[in-house]
Amino acid sequence: MCHLLDYFNMRRSSRTHIVIPLFLFLVVAFSCGKSDHEEKVIRSGHADSVLFDVGVRKNYERMLVLVDSFEAAGDLSPLDANRWRGVAYYRQGQYRMSEQYYWKAFESKVKSDEDMLSYNKVARRLSELLLVRGDYEGSLRVAIPAVKKMDQTGIGSDIDYAILLNNIGCCQLNLGQDKEANESFLTARGHYANRWQSDSTSRGFQEAVVGTVYTSLAYINMRRYAESIYWIDRTEMLLNKYRQCPDARSEYFDEYQGRIEIMRAVANQGLGKKEEAAQAYQAFLKTDYSKTGTGHIHANEYLVAAHRFKEAADNYRYLDQVLNDMGMVETLDNIQLYMLPKYMSNAKAGRSDSALVAGIRILAVLDSAITLQKNSTTAEMATIYDTQGKEAEIAHQQADMNRQRLISALIALGLVITFFSTFIFFRHRSAKRLEHAHEKLQEAYDKLEETTAVKERIESELRIARDIQMSMVPNIFPNQEGLDIYAVIEPAKEVGGDLYGYLLIGDKLYFTLGDVSGKGVPASLFMAQATRLFRTLATQGMMPAEIATRMNAALVEDNEQGMFVTMFLGLADLKTGHLEFCNAGHNPPLVKDKTGQWTFFEMVPNAPIGMWPGLQFKEEHVDSIKGMPLLVYTDGLNEAEDRQQVQFGDDRLVEVLSHTAFKNAKEVIDKLMAEVKQHRNGAAPNDDLTMMCLKIS
């Protein structure tokens, strides 16, 4: 009834107002003549199509609302409705919630062939969820009856059989049933073969490759490396068959060729065949997949096993990008699976500064991860306990819909009869609505002008704040014989949290560069405090470590936001070249040594300033840096990202410096700024960028 009224309102100005009611009446009459079975199939197909489209748009909250509506209207069976709910929660990463609804779907009665097809999909996903969670008995309780039911009904595709049998084999392997597992894997392989032989496209080979990858990983995870080699070879054979298909996608077989080589490297390493393992890893590096963020993280399976921790630590620089691309939030599971290995790799690689930063990040997200876990558990329980009430509500709604269908034809006929009498009324009301809409439009225009003025005022104030902030860092550098110094700062937003400064007292040069946690106005205020403190303490002739200790004591007080600043503080003697310095959790500077090579400073790790009270910072020194250009920078340089979120990186930084002849400090800074801009390729800055270069001659 509502849809018909909307249609009338939408078309009330049409000249065909006599034909429309008659046409609608004939449509309603024709629809009533369809059989109940035909109508149900059409409605069900429409519901699946709508839900699929909503899923493509990743609007999973909308999907859940539509599922309730379709089930109440009888357009979805209880089995299908719970399957779609499981899909919605699965796509959101809420696997326990997803599992609850897949269980409800799995336990529903199968009343039709369509239900049986949905049942097969449910069994595949549910057994996989239980397998990944380590509930091997539970996974078998789902997969084995599903296979038997497919045998009994004759309804089930080769891919249904293959995936379920593969899940069964993985469970049996983990339960020590080696012979049964091997039989399940071989039977699954037969169904994969049937699939690709009956499919004219490459889809069958794709599915077979994925299945044998899972089998290979099952043996690797059980440290059954010899058996895994057989399945890895089998996977490569299938991938080569896929490669020969006319519709094969190069990025697909490149990725899986990379995965195969990493599995082969891990398996050979486990068998003690280190040379073969290294060769497989070199083959992996030749794939395009190895250069992606996911490929870098995947490579660590071998690098960690081979104790190549420095390379693993380098790869973990891509971790944030990969987690962001996968849409992963900072849960306890992700801390354990990704962040802790990043910390351990940096620690074992001897990169204490990077390990410290990784540890601080873990501490920062741990509290929110625990809260998220508690909220997720509460939501799961609420969903479980609310299920019966929800089913009763759906049943009530379904009864209402059935009653509405009985009188739908009469309502349509009544609308046809009353259309002519209401047409004039609607037209008159439309004129009133048009007048009202004009008034609303005028109000909206007035508000837009007001909003624009407010926005312009805020932008003006931010520009003023930026000018004030830039005035706090020196932009005129000393013209003193024997000293060449230049620095630049580029905030990612209107205002930022990076800082630099210098103070020349006779032949003593104090200099610093720092990076405040966070961005925007809060970071700029913290930056102002740090800048003021540095200049005040340096004026008193203190050493760098004492300055850092005093700054920490001042900034840690009333620091309710938990902000901190990483800093490099130096004191150089322009006569002797002697350098005293303190690094407070900052990136190691680069220095061009007497051989002409740019290398990173080896430094004692200190914590950032402002994190913990009572810290005593350690000081170090270099006998002389005369004739040795020094570059200090924030991570906005080496972690600058392009449109694909690929970082500039330490290696490229060293390479650019190595190919840049030192004429003066400004040219070095300008060259690096140009290289970063070229690397970004139009991408907006992801972090504040600050650099300082100096040379004492």
Side-chain angles (χ1 to χ4, degrees):
M1 176 176 175
C2 293
H3 294 305
L4 293 174
L5 285 173
D6 291 341
Y7 191 82
F8 286 155
N9 290 333
M10 181 175 64
R11 298 294 300 273
R12 59 180 174 268
S13 60
S14 173
R15 295 180 181 178
T16 58
H17 58 275
I18 297 177
V19 178
I20 292 170
L22 179 60
F23 173 75
L24 289 172
F25 176 73
L26 291 174
V27 169
V28 172
F30 178 76
S31 298
C32 293
K34 291 181 179 289
S35 70
D36 291 341
H37 177 72
E38 289 175 327
E39 185 180 0
K40 184 174 182 180
V41 169
I42 291 171
R43 291 200 311 269
S44 177
H46 170 70
D48 283 335
S49 176
V50 169
L51 292 170
F52 180 82
D53 290 340
V54 172
V56 169
R57 294 193 297 272
K58 299 182 179 180
N59 190 350
Y60 302 117
E61 294 299 326
R62 176 64 177 162
M63 179 185 285
L64 291 169
V65 172
L66 287 174
V67 169
D68 290 347
S69 176
F70 285 140
E71 185 180 17
D75 296 341
L76 286 177
S77 67
L79 191 156
D80 245 341
N82 284 313
R83 177 175 71 86
W84 278 110
R85 291 184 185 107
V87 169
Y89 285 114
Y90 183 88
R91 297 284 174 79
Q92 295 178 85
Q94 299 184 42
Y95 301 122
R96 296 302 294 270
M97 296 276 282
S98 175
E99 182 183 321
Q100 293 296 330
Y101 282 112
Y102 276 128
W103 268 117
K104 289 182 65 60
F106 183 75
E107 293 168 352
S108 298
K109 291 183 179 180
V110 177
K111 298 180 179 180
S112 65
D113 292 352
E114 290 78 12
D115 275 353
M116 186 61 201
L117 293 173
S118 293
Y119 172 87
N120 295 342
K121 295 177 183 178
V122 168
R124 284 161 45 181
R125 180 66 75 192
L126 180 56
S127 63
E128 175 192 288
L129 280 168
L130 296 168
L131 170 62
V132 171
R133 189 154 61 84
D135 185 0
Y136 307 121
E137 293 86 352
S139 182
L140 289 174
R141 286 199 301 270
V142 171
I144 291 175
V147 171
K148 289 182 179 178
K149 188 170 288 190
M150 287 194 296
D151 288 338
Q152 293 167 358
T153 62
I155 300 174
S157 65
D158 280 304
I159 193 60
D160 290 331
Y161 275 107
I163 292 176
L164 283 168
L165 287 166
N166 217 66
N167 291 346
I168 290 171
C170 290
C171 292
Q172 291 168 331
L173 188 63
N174 280 279
L175 293 172
Q177 301 172 3
D178 295 354
K179 180 180 178 182
E180 294 85 347
N182 187 57
E183 291 175 358
S184 297
F185 288 139
L186 292 174
T187 308
R189 186 181 69 177
H191 284 287
Y192 280 125
N194 293 339
R195 167 72 165 141
W196 78 63
Q197 289 168 3
S198 62
D199 192 348
S200 59
T201 69
S202 63
R203 181 69 177 173
F205 286 111
Q206 284 182 307
E207 293 163 345
V209 168
V210 173
T212 49
V213 164
Y214 285 156
T215 305
S216 304
L217 288 173
Y219 279 106
I220 288 175
N221 291 337
M222 293 297 294
R223 293 181 169 79
R224 306 281 290 277
Y225 300 117
E227 291 96 326
S228 71
I229 292 292
Y230 167 82
W231 288 101
I232 293 168
D233 291 341
R234 180 74 183 172
T235 306
E236 189 165 32
M237 181 272 290
L238 291 169
L239 189 64
N240 289 332
K241 286 182 177 290
Y242 169 74
R243 198 188 307 261
Q244 298 166 12
C245 295
D247 60 335
R249 295 184 292 115
S250 60
E251 68 274 12
Y252 179 90
F253 58 70
D254 178 84
E255 174 184 345
Y256 274 88
Q257 187 66 53
R259 291 178 179 271
I260 287 169
E261 299 299 348
I262 282 296
M263 290 192 299
R264 195 185 303 281
V266 173
N268 280 313
Q269 186 72 25
L271 291 170
K273 300 178 180 179
K274 297 183 179 180
E275 185 176 346
E276 290 92 331
Q279 290 173 354
Y281 182 65
Q282 289 302 315
F284 164 77
L285 293 178
K286 293 178 182 178
T287 65
D288 293 335
Y289 176 66
S290 69
K291 301 173 181 64
T292 65
T294 307
H296 282 291
I297 302 303
H298 198 193
N300 285 353
E301 296 174 17
Y302 163 71
L303 293 174
V304 172
H307 293 179
R308 294 166 65 168
F309 296 115
K310 288 187 177 180
E311 294 169 80
D314 289 339
N315 284 346
Y316 273 121
R317 291 180 302 174
Y318 298 88
L319 179 60
D320 290 342
Q321 169 198 335
V322 172
L323 295 180
N324 183 64
D325 291 343
M326 296 172 67
M328 288 190 174
V329 296
E330 292 158 338
T331 62
L332 293 175
D333 287 341
N334 289 337
I335 290 174
Q336 181 183 17
L337 290 173
Y338 301 107
M339 296 184 182
L340 283 175
K342 178 179 180 179
Y343 168 80
M344 293 301 297
S345 294
N346 278 286
K348 291 185 177 181
R351 298 180 180 178
S352 48
D353 284 346
S354 297
L356 177 63
V357 172
I360 291 171
R361 175 67 186 278
I362 292 171
L363 291 173
V365 303
L366 188 59
D367 183 64
S368 60
I370 293 172
T371 302
L372 182 65
Q373 181 78 10
K374 291 178 180 178
N375 291 341
S376 177
T377 302
T378 302
E380 290 169 16
M381 295 304 298
T383 299
I384 295 169
Y385 291 134
D386 189 50
T387 300
Q388 293 182 343
K390 192 172 194 178
E391 289 177 340
E393 181 182 350
I394 290 172
H396 179 70
Q397 291 175 355
Q398 191 165 5
D400 288 343
M401 290 298 296
N402 289 335
R403 286 194 296 271
Q404 289 178 15
R405 288 197 188 98
L406 292 176
I407 61 173
S408 60
L410 295 175
I411 292 174
L413 183 59
L415 287 171
V416 171
I417 296 172
T418 58
F419 175 73
F420 291 105
S421 60
T422 58
F423 177 74
I424 297 175
F425 168 74
F426 280 124
R427 187 168 63 178
H428 176 71
R429 192 170 68 173
S430 68
K432 290 289 186 181
R433 285 180 176 174
L434 184 61
E435 181 181 353
H436 182 66
H438 178 74
E439 294 173 356
K440 290 289 186 184
L441 183 61
Q442 184 62 45
E443 292 177 9
Y445 180 76
D446 294 340
K447 289 182 179 179
L448 179 61
E449 286 187 331
E450 181 182 348
T451 303
T452 303
V454 172
K455 182 181 178 183
E456 289 176 351
R457 185 173 70 252
I458 293 173
E459 290 176 348
S460 174
E461 291 174 353
L462 285 173
R463 283 194 296 271
I464 294 171
R466 182 189 181 101
D467 293 341
I468 294 172
Q469 184 183 19
M470 290 300 101
S471 69
M472 299 182 68
V473 295
N475 51 24
I476 299 176
F477 300 95
N479 183 17
Q480 180 159 334
E481 185 178 355
L483 174 62
D484 181 7
I485 182 172
Y486 186 77
V488 68
I489 183 170
E490 181 187 79
K493 296 184 178 181
E494 287 80 358
V495 290
D498 278 9
L499 63 99
Y500 71 81
Y502 74 86
L503 189 64
L504 191 59
I505 304 175
D507 292 325
K508 304 292 185 182
L509 174 69
Y510 284 92
F511 64 95
T512 189
L513 185 142
D515 183 359
V516 176
S517 59
K519 302 180 185 69
V521 174
S524 70
L525 295 174
F526 203 81
M527 166 264 191
Q529 287 183 284
T531 303
R532 176 182 57 80
L533 285 168
F534 167 75
R535 292 186 63 85
T536 301
L537 297 171
T539 304
Q540 298 175 25
M542 295 183 183
M543 300 298 285
E546 186 179 1
I547 293 175
T549 301
R550 295 287 187 92
M551 287 181 66
N552 182 74
L555 292 175
V556 81
E557 290 184 8
D558 300 323
N559 186 5
E560 297 180 358
Q561 301 300 320
M563 301 188 73
F564 59 87
V565 57
T566 65
M567 293 184 75
F568 182 88
L569 304 97
L571 172 59
D573 188 317
L574 301 186
K575 288 184 176 180
T576 65
H578 185 79
L579 174 66
E580 297 282 346
F581 68 90
C582 175
N583 185 64
H586 198 73
N587 297 331
L590 279 157
V591 63
K592 187 175 184 180
D593 60 25
K594 295 179 180 179
T595 67
Q597 299 293 320
W598 284 90
T599 59
F600 290 98
F601 261 32
E602 294 291 337
M603 300 179 298
V604 173
N606 285 298
I609 295 172
M611 289 199 68
W612 296 292
L615 289 179
Q616 295 294 321
F617 288 80
K618 297 180 180 179
E619 191 164 278
E620 299 175 80
H621 71 274
V622 176
D623 290 338
S624 177
I625 59 169
K626 272 196 172 185
M628 301 165 61
L630 180 70
L631 176 72
V632 194
Y633 59 93
T634 63
D635 56 13
L637 172 60
N638 59 328
E639 294 182 5
E641 296 178 348
D642 63 10
R643 293 178 180 272
Q644 286 73 43
Q645 295 182 316
V646 175
Q647 296 184 348
F648 190 76
D650 292 340
D651 294 340
R652 183 170 180 180
L653 172 58
V654 173
E655 181 182 359
V656 171
L657 289 172
S658 299
H659 291 86
T660 302
F662 186 92
K663 295 181 180 179
N664 56 62
K666 185 177 185 302
E667 287 197 9
V668 172
I669 298 291
D670 290 343
K671 174 66 174 177
L672 287 171
M673 290 294 289
E675 289 288 335
V676 169
K677 183 177 180 180
Q678 181 182 3
H679 173 75
R680 286 179 181 151
N681 193 24
N686 57 297
D687 199 357
D688 303 333
L689 168 59
T690 305
M691 292 182 281
M692 175 184 286
C693 184
L694 65 91
K695 180 181 178 182
I696 298 173
S697 59

